[in-house]
Amino acid sequence: MSKILVTGGAGFIGSNLIHHIIDQPEIRKLVNLDCLTYAGHLVNLAGIAGHPRYRFEKVDLRDKNAVRDVVEKHGIDRVMHLAAESHVDRSITGPGDFIHTNIVGTFNLLEACRACWLDPASSFRFHHVSTDEVFGSLKPGEPAWTEETPYAPNSPYAASKASSDHLVRAYFHTYNFPVTLTNCSNN
């Protein structure tokens, strides 16, 4: 029985994910951590707000103590990290939010989870959702990206997501932290 944390769960993708998995028998508790910025709307989850397994925590990933408190309080053992500042155009006009949320926020979450994962009884898992933007731009006729494609971010958004990907990868290699990473395309 897992206690899952979904970051960015009030956004379009996160809320649909929560609706899709909330009734899975292996889920004991599902915690939605979202700070409800421009993309997060609790109306997306109105149908499950009273579900006995569902909890909502209005927390900003940039607040490391609050993030750690949520992970500890709920005994989280699975993370699906979807929260991010997104949209290339927004990153061009205001890159600071992207750096703080996507890089520092991911670091805060990794540290909170690593503290819990060090518990010998834990079977922790961390899934980081990234973007195809980290691979740069394709020209017409170029082959699709693969896992071997070098990173070539071309915007502050893409660079912030590439940085968070590298942090996740570093935690795997440095701490043997149990992570998976996906690069979604055109969500």
Side-chain angles (χ1 to χ4, degrees):
M1 297 287 283
S2 297
K3 291 172 267 176
I4 297 175
L5 176 68
V6 176
T7 67
F12 174 74
I13 296 169
S15 62
N16 280 286
L17 170 67
I18 290 172
H19 279 284
H20 182 72
I21 66 173
I22 189 71
D23 288 318
Q24 297 296 316
E26 64 273 10
I27 295 176
R28 185 162 115 199
K29 183 190 291 186
L30 191 153
V31 179
N32 172 10
L33 184 148
D34 201 304
C35 68
L36 302 177
T37 60
Y38 68 95
H41 307 283
L42 287 179
V43 70
N44 295 338
L45 296 153
I48 63 159
H51 195 289
R53 297 180 185 172
Y54 177 76
R55 304 290 184 276
F56 173 70
E57 294 279 355
K58 185 176 184 201
V59 170
D60 190 324
L61 286 172
R62 296 173 291 189
D63 183 342
K64 68 179 181 178
N65 294 326
V67 171
R68 186 168 182 163
D69 288 348
V70 167
V71 171
E72 289 176 352
K73 176 173 80 172
H74 294 287
I76 299 300
D77 60 8
R78 303 283 186 272
V79 173
M80 298 181 82
H81 180 33
L82 287 78
E85 291 289 339
S86 59
H87 304 298
V88 171
D89 293 344
R90 289 185 63 252
S91 78
I92 293 166
T93 59
D97 286 340
F98 290 75
I99 301 306
H100 292 287
T101 297
N102 298 352
I103 300 172
V104 176
T106 297
F107 169 73
N108 290 340
L109 183 60
L110 284 164
E111 280 294 285
C113 293
R114 187 169 70 96
C116 291
W117 175 70
L118 293 174
D119 176 351
S122 173
S123 61
F124 208 90
R125 298 287 178 268
F126 188 102
H127 180 74
H128 178 69
V129 178
S130 188
T131 175
D132 64 340
E133 293 278 342
V134 300
F135 301 120
S137 303
L138 286 177
K139 294 181 176 91
E142 281 188 308
W145 296 295
T146 70
E147 285 99 4
E148 286 80 35
T149 301
Y151 276 35
N154 291 325
S155 69
Y157 164 62
S160 70
K161 289 300 288 182
S163 297
S164 68
D165 294 359
H166 291 312
L167 277 172
V168 170
R169 184 178 186 278
Y171 272 62
F172 170 75
H173 286 282
T174 303
Y175 304 112
N176 201 25
F177 192 68
V179 302
T180 55
L181 190 147
T182 55
N183 297 91
C184 302
S185 179
N186 293 325
N187 291 325

